[in-house]
Amino acid sequence: MNLHASLAFSLLALAAGVTGAAAQNAAPAASPAVAPSAPASPADAVKIVVGEVPAGAPAGTGTVSPLLFGHNIEHTRSCVYQGLSAQVLRNRKFAGKPTGYFGGPVQWKRYGTPRAFINITPTLAYTKHNCRVRGNRGAEINAVSLQNPIAGERGGIQQDNLPLKGGAKYVFKVIANTPSPVPVPLLARFVDRAGAVLAERTFAINGEKYAAYEFAFTPAADELNATLQLSIDARAELRIGAVSLLPADNFHGMRRDVVERLKDIGARQLRWPGGNFAGEYYWKDGLLPVDQRAPLYSYMPVETQTHSDGFDFHEIGIDEFIALCREVGAEPSLTLNLSWEPSHESAQWVEYCNGDATTEWGRKRIERGHKEPYNVKYWSLGNELGYGHMEGLNSPAEYAKKALQTAGAMRRVTPDLQLCCSGFIGNAGWRRAMAPLAKELAFASFHSYQGSFHSNGNLDFIRERALRRAYEDVARHADGVFNNLRGVRAAMSKDAAFKHVSLSFDEWNTVHALHHEPSIIEGVMAALMLGNAIAGADELGLGAFMFFEPINEGAIIVQPLLTSYLTATGQVFSLFKKHTGNKVLPVTIGGNAAGNAAGAKRHPDLRATASINPTTGERVLTLVNKNYDTAVSVSVSGFGTGATGSGTYTLLDGSNLTITPGARFREKRSEIPTGTGTTAAAGSPLPVSIPPRSVVQMTVK
């Protein structure tokens, strides 16, 4: 069977319901799907023609930059907390105010005798800051003081609802001291929901200097509601500075399964630590041992730290983040706390990342075990400054002054940094104020979210008309925002100071995905957004494109028992990553350009992205049908030109009878056998039927 015949057979077989390899990362089953329509006759099918790389194209153009597959890793809500972080315990450093008459920390309860006195106090704290902290901060540094006045009565603190995976090894640690002249026995015990002991250890806490005590254990079975009890029965006082519970196979304090999901979605750039959180972050704190790093209080707790009582517990510092980037294969992008950290501290961060042994901060990195420089090229001069919701620097003039000062200090350390400014880059008054800064910039930041932060997208999963309207609003946003971006680019191109500056579209998503598990609605939007970014990158000067944010807010759902899976949006990212680093191939749909070029006449429902790997010759074609109801039949010509090898066909079928929160695409795959010649180039067009709300990808070699 030749390649063309093999491919056509595979497409027809899939349309009839024959599936290939099972999708990876199993998740809740999708809703029942409508069978795709059979391919239309050649006369009725929409004609898609894939061309070749244009001869004489300028060097560097037409390449799908890896930076178009960027993502944010921000310490907000549950991206790190109960997401990327492997830490099982909540409020493990006892931040915040005492809770009610109990007097202990938030997320903890009294255990045992009510006559034990429990208090949290900053004067006995183990955690600390490693630099001067500015801005509105409070109750970040505490320790628990446990006084038991009655010998023989056991009392202390406990935390319940802890998920433990059966067969997984965990390591528990407590950092404690005592003013007692003799050692004080501290019992650390884990029990299941019925009160049966899962593991326990008694530590002899000795001396007023904080010390770490730990033990490992392996639960025999899954337990979603384990409880940790920390107690003493001696007449004594004990201070607890911090506690920790991690799976033993963690990756620098991160969950290995979540790290693997970041690989699955093809993350090639990671922006950290924010976002809004960048204005609350102090990088030097990250050089402390992770258990000793002070929690960071949120300036906007209702926005950024709603899941963790207003605090981030600084589980990821610069060294851990760079380890993550290297493991995933992503370029690091760092955002400065421009409002509160002085320029010289930002320059010291650059030196820590990029300096060698002849520099002060390069030596500090080497002394910490990281000999090779991190070579961080991409830096953002703050985040969303000028929008009014961040602390400090909320006028164009004051932002430009501080950013220019900081950029100069950073470039004296590493001259070739790629710097990005925040702010209203599309606003002429803002650009005038920032004109002196423009010469330092490689990028200007642009953010856009579909929906209202007050209406949560007006989602309605009960009334069909409302659901259709929500779907169409989300799908329409993908084209609308790129039209807006085109206007921004046009304004920058007319501005002599900013003509050379590329755009960094470094935050995009739907608003409701920040708080709800996304469905195929968001998945289709992601496919449209990625296709538009690839098609428009050269025209728009789009140098970076970063989703906000993959973990628990769009692409990856993290579950308690060390499992995680890709959402519909994650499935789309996993599919589109095949284009990374390829050369873009021109595509026409019904005789019109498929891209989002200015003035292009577009098919109302179909979008197409085609590329070729310059090394292997593999061709990739991704088609999106955004129509809510109707399958679209197409005939594809030119895609298999020169191909003799095998190929693949993948369908992300979104034609579910019922769109529900969390609904994923039904993923169907087929392998196309090795061909016997170049008949794909000469054969008749390939018939493909794309179900509504669905994505198809074909590859050939």
Side-chain angles (χ1 to χ4, degrees):
M1 182 182 292
N2 64 41
L3 178 61
H4 172 76
S6 299
L7 182 57
F9 173 81
S10 298
L11 305 186
L12 292 168
L14 276 166
V18 177
T19 60
Q24 295 177 342
N25 315 319
S31 303
V34 176
S37 303
S41 66
D44 297 329
V46 178
K47 294 178 174 60
I48 295 178
V49 179
V50 180
E52 297 300 309
V53 176
T61 63
T63 298
V64 183
S65 169
L67 301 188
L68 298 182
F69 296 86
H71 293 270
N72 285 264
I73 302 294
E74 181 171 3
H75 295 233
T76 47
R77 294 172 293 274
S78 291
C79 177
V80 174
Y81 172 78
Q82 297 188 340
L84 179 59
S85 172
Q87 183 58 240
V88 179
L89 297 176
R90 307 180 301 277
N91 194 14
R92 71 186 192 92
K93 300 174 184 178
F94 314 122
K97 298 291 187 179
T99 58
Y101 67 89
F102 159 50
V106 175
Q107 297 291 345
W108 294 83
K109 300 175 182 178
R110 177 187 294 278
Y111 171 70
T113 176
R115 293 193 282 188
F117 178 69
I118 300 165
N119 189 33
I120 57 174
T121 172
T123 59
L124 302 174
Y126 168 72
T127 58
K128 64 180 182 178
H129 289 291
N130 203 26
C131 59
R132 179 187 172 193
V133 174
R134 307 162 182 87
N136 180 24
R137 302 292 179 265
E140 295 175 325
I141 298 173
N142 285 319
V144 169
S145 170
L146 170 58
Q147 297 179 9
N148 188 24
I150 309 297
E153 292 190 4
R154 182 167 296 281
I157 58 175
Q158 61 180 339
Q159 186 173 116
D160 55 13
N161 293 317
L162 302 177
L164 298 175
K165 176 69 175 176
K169 182 180 178 181
Y170 290 85
V171 178
F172 171 73
K173 180 194 300 182
V174 58
I175 298 170
N177 72 19
T178 178
S180 173
V182 297
V184 176
L186 169 65
L187 175 62
R189 173 184 286 164
F190 290 89
V191 299
D192 66 14
R193 70 188 68 194
V197 175
L198 299 172
E200 64 181 12
R201 181 68 57 86
T202 299
F203 301 111
I205 310 301
N206 189 23
E208 292 195 66
K209 184 177 181 180
Y210 273 113
Y213 304 83
E214 65 180 55
F215 79 102
F217 66 98
T218 302
D222 291 351
E223 176 56 66
L224 280 169
N225 191 14
T227 297
L228 165 64
Q229 301 164 347
L230 297 172
S231 64
I232 60 175
D233 62 358
R235 187 177 188 275
E237 179 182 0
L238 192 75
R239 291 88 173 256
I240 304 175
V243 289
S244 172
L245 180 62
L246 291 169
D249 71 342
N250 69 85
F251 178 79
H252 298 270
M254 292 170 268
R255 281 181 45 164
R256 287 192 178 272
D257 63 305
V258 181
V259 173
E260 291 303 311
R261 298 296 82 76
L262 287 171
K263 295 178 186 178
D264 290 341
I265 64 174
R268 298 299 298 273
Q269 186 172 37
L270 295 178
R271 179 175 179 248
W272 176 87
N276 290 352
F277 179 74
E280 301 158 4
Y281 185 71
Y282 292 88
W283 76 269
K284 288 183 179 179
D285 278 6
L287 303 185
L288 292 168
V290 64
D291 297 317
Q292 197 171 26
R293 298 171 191 167
L296 296 165
Y297 179 67
S298 174
Y299 171 65
M300 297 179 292
V302 72
E303 172 63 28
T304 58
Q305 307 301 345
T306 51
H307 303 174
S308 53
D309 305 300
F311 294 89
D312 174 77
F313 294 91
H314 207 157
E315 305 295 354
I316 299 176
I318 180 61
D319 297 331
E320 293 93 349
F321 174 68
I322 295 298
L324 173 66
C325 289
R326 289 177 171 175
E327 177 69 16
V328 171
E331 193 77 36
S333 177
L334 301 181
T335 306
L336 302 175
N337 185 349
L338 199 72
S339 289
W340 296 122
E341 290 198 322
S343 297
H344 75 272
E345 289 191 7
S346 296
Q348 288 169 346
W349 199 6
V350 175
E351 187 172 279
Y352 181 84
C353 291
N354 300 345
D356 59 23
T358 66
T359 65
E360 177 187 0
W361 287 91
R363 283 194 300 274
K364 290 181 185 293
R365 185 197 67 249
I366 294 170
E367 290 166 359
R368 291 170 56 81
H370 310 286
K371 181 179 180 181
E372 298 301 321
Y374 293 157
N375 295 324
V376 179
K377 295 184 293 184
Y378 300 98
W379 299 76
S380 291
L381 299 167
N383 171 75
E384 293 183 357
L385 294 170
Y387 287 79
H389 63 283
M390 301 292 292
E391 287 184 288
L393 301 181
N394 276 313
S395 77
E398 62 179 340
Y399 171 74
K401 180 180 179 180
K402 178 65 178 293
L404 183 61
Q405 180 186 49
T406 301
M410 295 168 71
R411 287 200 186 281
R412 284 192 287 274
V413 177
T414 304
D416 60 348
L417 296 178
Q418 303 287 295
L419 302 181
C420 179
C421 72
S422 72
F424 301 93
I425 194 62
N427 180 275
W430 184 269
R431 290 197 307 277
R432 281 195 298 272
M434 291 201 299
L437 176 64
K439 66 180 184 297
E440 299 286 355
L441 300 176
F443 299 98
S445 178
F446 182 88
H447 296 173
S448 180
Y449 291 84
Q450 187 280 331
S452 166
F453 279 86
H454 302 288
S455 68
N456 225 352
N458 290 320
L459 290 178
D460 187 335
F461 290 96
I462 301 299
R463 284 162 281 275
E464 175 66 20
R465 180 179 298 178
L467 181 61
R468 177 192 296 268
R469 183 170 60 248
Y471 172 86
E472 292 174 349
D473 285 347
V474 171
R476 188 163 44 244
H477 173 79
D479 289 342
V481 70
F482 273 84
N483 288 332
N484 292 342
L485 200 61
R486 186 171 293 109
V488 172
R489 178 76 269 169
M492 292 172 65
S493 297
K494 294 176 183 177
D495 191 320
F498 284 89
K499 289 177 66 174
H500 71 285
V501 178
S502 296
L503 284 165
S504 176
F505 195 160
D506 43 36
E507 289 190 25
W508 65 271
N509 199 347
T510 64
V511 170
H512 47 268
L514 306 184
H515 308 287
H516 300 276
E517 185 171 357
S519 70
I520 60 173
I521 296 176
E522 294 82 8
V524 170
M525 187 188 109
L528 297 171
M529 292 286 286
L530 287 167
N532 283 344
I534 292 170
D538 287 342
E539 175 205 355
L540 298 172
L542 184 61
F545 192 58
M546 305 183 209
F547 182 69
F548 188 98
E549 56 189 328
I551 301 172
N552 284 330
E553 296 191 4
I556 299 166
I557 296 298
V558 180
Q559 297 182 307
L561 297 177
L562 303 182
T563 59
S564 53
Y565 63 88
L566 301 187
T567 66
T569 300
Q571 291 175 286
V572 166
F573 275 110
S574 184
L575 204 65
F576 265 84
K577 71 182 181 183
K578 291 285 290 185
H579 293 285
T580 307
N582 288 2
K583 299 293 288 186
V584 176
L585 297 175
V587 184
T588 60
I589 301 178
N592 297 303
N596 195 31
K601 182 180 179 181
R602 311 192 72 183
H603 190 280
D605 299 318
L606 287 177
R607 298 292 183 267
T609 303
S611 66
I612 184 170
N613 186 309
T615 302
T616 67
E618 181 182 52
R619 292 167 177 257
V620 184
L621 174 63
T622 307
L623 304 173
V624 183
N625 176 14
K626 67 185 183 73
N627 191 285
Y628 187 82
D629 300 297
T630 307
V632 178
S633 294
V634 303
S635 63
V636 181
S637 300
F639 175 61
T641 301
T644 60
S646 62
T648 62
Y649 175 92
T650 304
L651 169 64
L652 299 183
D653 186 355
S655 58
N656 295 335
L657 289 172
T658 304
I659 298 178
T660 59
R664 302 178 52 198
F665 293 106
R666 293 168 62 100
E667 190 164 344
K668 306 175 183 180
R669 297 182 182 179
S670 177
E671 297 295 325
I672 303 169
T674 301
T676 57
T678 59
T679 53
S684 59
L686 304 173
V688 184
S689 181
I690 311 173
R693 310 188 295 268
S694 298
V695 186
V696 163
Q697 185 176 90
M698 297 177 285
T699 71
V700 293
K701 295 181 180 178

